[in-house]
Amino acid sequence: MKQYDVRKSGRRRFLRDAVAMTGAVAAGALLPAVTRAQSAKIRLGVMLPYTGTYAQLGLAIENGLRLALEQGGGKLGGREFEIFKVDDESEPSKATDNANRLITRDKVDVLIGSVHSGVAMGMIKVAREAGTLLVIPNAGADAATGALCAPNVFRTSFSNWQPVHPLGRVMAERGHKRAVFITWKYAAGEESLASFREAFTAVGGTVVKELFVPFPNVEFQALLTEIAALRPDAVACFFAGGGAVKFVKDYAAAGLKDKIPLYGSGFLTEGVLAAQGDAAEGLLTTLHYAESLDNPKNKAFRASYLKTYKTHADVYAVQGYDTGLLLMQALDKVGGDVGNRSAVIAAMEAAVIDSPRGQWKMSKAHNPIQDIYLRRAEKGDNKVIGVAWKALEDPARGCKL
Ligand code: PHB
């Protein structure tokens, strides 16, 4: 009896589903295939940190992205879009699950994320397996556009190799020969250090000590004591977000600021200068953006961003904005047909982005070829004092695109 019921209800369900499917096919058959594919909204999966030391970075990226899309008329290639958000907590161990959920549950057409290199590595794994388009609006993991480069993986920010590479030369030119590098112990810190070491030793410098704290810890005291004892000519570092505020303040409070000059990749002073106060005054950093860049695009962008979000734009906002510009450019070119993957990829490869950071385009490995600026922190502003490296392209080691 029981068995019969199950079979009966199973058969009923089959019949009901078959009717529903026939209805759907019949309705769909009235529409040409392209119209059918394009009538739905484009689904964007945004995976960023909204909690923890990188929370402000995630928010700035989302703000920048939304600003570009709104300025573009609120559509992508003529189609409406919908954003699905996940707080990735800068937690690499949750990255593949989070990315998979966006793809299988929310059925996103494009994945956008993230800030943390370890999280981005998880997203790359998922995107490579699923074939989903991935745009990285921050994370610098060298492999993303190096050994693990892929046709469907693009980056609108930088590789970890890029911003610190010019720093080695800048510091050598300023007469420093013995440097200490201090950072968080994870990919972004380790790859920044490797790039700095490569550049600094090429011009005769020596990295006398490499110092690490686990991410996202901010207990710097013991290492600052060690730096004082080592007495190097200068210190270089990679820190960002909340951790960068604490490090810059602790460095000054330890009495090191006027004794041993501190340099960094420009993330050290991005979006955090107000919180760092006097402790940041005079710091020299290298980065692919500076708020004081004197070009009309940057001025207009900064004014709209301030008006919309009541806060100043930083490099993360620019990277989010450029992600929006890239998607709009590519989807306009393919008339919103996001399912035509090879055409979307070709359009993204050919894109020229008129960015607040200055115009840039994609390298063969899908990473921005861009100028790196030398900046000095002055009264709450990162002032451009020169171009540290013109049109710097990541070496894309191991990329076979
Ligand atoms: C990274 O993890 O790749 C990362 C995070 C924050 C930054 C830059 C790079 O500001």
Side-chain angles (χ1 to χ4, degrees):
M1 180 66 186
K2 203 171 170 209
Q3 213 185 352
Y4 173 79
D5 276 345
V6 169
R7 266 194 283 140
K8 203 168 110 190
S9 67
R11 207 168 121 247
R12 269 206 207 112
R13 197 181 310 127
F14 169 77
L15 287 172
R16 187 196 61 209
D17 290 352
V19 170
M21 263 174 64
T22 318
V25 170
L30 299 175
L31 297 169
V34 174
T35 316
R36 205 165 55 235
Q38 295 184 10
S39 55
K41 288 182 180 173
I42 293 183
R43 301 164 83 87
L44 305 177
V46 172
M47 199 170 135
L48 290 168
Y50 294 102
T51 49
T53 202
Y54 288 160
Q56 289 307 316
L57 287 56
L59 185 62
I61 290 170
E62 184 189 334
N63 286 346
L65 172 70
R66 286 188 187 273
L67 183 63
L69 297 178
E70 273 159 33
Q71 287 179 349
K75 294 213 166 166
L76 280 170
R79 289 173 62 185
E80 290 184 358
F81 62 85
E82 193 169 353
I83 292 182
F84 297 83
K85 276 170 54 168
V86 170
D87 175 8
D88 67 38
E89 305 163 49
S90 293
E91 181 46 70
S93 67
K94 298 183 183 167
T96 51
D97 279 355
N98 281 333
N100 269 320
R101 210 172 314 123
L102 283 169
I103 291 176
T104 53
R105 186 192 64 191
D106 301 324
K107 313 233 171 322
V108 300
D109 298 298
V110 185
L111 266 180
I112 299 169
S114 183
V115 167
H116 184 287
S117 275
V119 173
M121 293 302 280
M123 297 182 78
I124 292 165
K125 183 171 178 286
V126 170
R128 283 171 64 100
E129 279 163 12
T132 309
L133 276 172
L134 168 63
V135 183
I136 303 170
N138 185 73
D142 287 337
T145 55
L148 290 177
C149 71
N152 56 320
V153 176
F154 288 81
R155 180 152 52 196
T156 54
S157 49
F158 58 90
S159 71
N160 286 328
W161 181 91
Q162 259 176 327
V164 271
H165 193 74
L167 194 57
R169 198 163 77 183
V170 164
M171 285 172 60
E173 278 166 2
R174 303 179 83 82
H176 305 311
K177 293 196 163 57
R178 298 170 64 255
V180 164
F181 198 98
I182 178 166
T183 187
W184 276 312
K185 185 139 192 76
Y186 85 100
E190 288 165 330
E191 291 175 357
S192 298
L193 160 62
S195 174
F196 173 75
R197 195 198 304 109
E198 182 187 319
F200 192 51
T201 53
V203 288
T206 309
V207 179
V208 293
K209 188 90 188 184
E210 302 166 359
L211 298 172
F212 296 100
V213 274
F215 176 86
N217 286 11
V218 289
E219 300 312 320
F220 301 119
Q221 214 45 57
L223 298 183
L224 292 174
T225 306
E226 200 174 340
I227 290 173
L230 284 163
R231 302 170 60 119
D233 298 341
V235 171
C237 68
F238 162 82
F239 289 108
V245 175
K246 175 83 165 37
F247 180 72
V248 165
K249 287 186 134 184
D250 285 4
Y251 195 86
L256 292 175
K257 186 168 182 284
D258 299 324
K259 290 198 193 111
I260 308 172
L262 175 64
Y263 296 77
S265 58
F267 306 113
L268 188 67
T269 54
E270 277 300 305
V272 289
L273 275 176
Q276 288 164 335
D278 286 347
E281 196 62 20
L283 291 187
L284 289 177
T285 60
T286 47
L287 199 68
H288 49 288
Y289 179 67
E291 56 262 47
S292 68
L293 275 179
D294 189 12
N295 71 62
K297 183 85 194 183
N298 189 39
K299 288 192 172 138
F301 162 74
R302 297 193 65 79
S304 318
Y305 191 93
L306 181 60
K307 191 159 169 236
T308 310
Y309 303 111
K310 314 283 176 264
T311 181
H312 292 288
D314 55 22
V315 71
Y316 310 105
V318 171
Q319 292 165 177
Y321 189 75
D322 287 5
T323 300
L325 295 185
L326 176 69
L327 289 174
M328 286 195 295
Q329 215 176 101
L331 288 166
D332 279 353
K333 209 161 173 182
V334 301
D337 189 4
V338 73
N340 188 349
R341 229 183 54 134
S342 56
V344 176
I345 289 172
M348 283 168 75
E349 286 176 335
V352 177
I353 304 298
D354 193 11
S355 163
R357 73 182 94 166
Q359 200 181 71
W360 63 266
K361 53 189 181 164
M362 287 287 174
S363 68
K364 254 188 104 193
H366 300 174
N367 189 66
I369 302 173
Q370 55 194 339
D371 295 346
I372 306 292
Y373 305 99
L374 176 61
R375 311 117 41 94
R376 182 189 289 118
E378 279 176 24
K379 299 190 183 72
D381 228 11
N382 285 297
K383 286 259 155 20
V384 180
I385 56 172
V387 176
W389 209 297
K390 189 95 198 125
L392 185 60
E393 181 170 351
D394 178 85
R397 291 171 186 139
C399 175
K400 304 228 164 46
L401 275 186

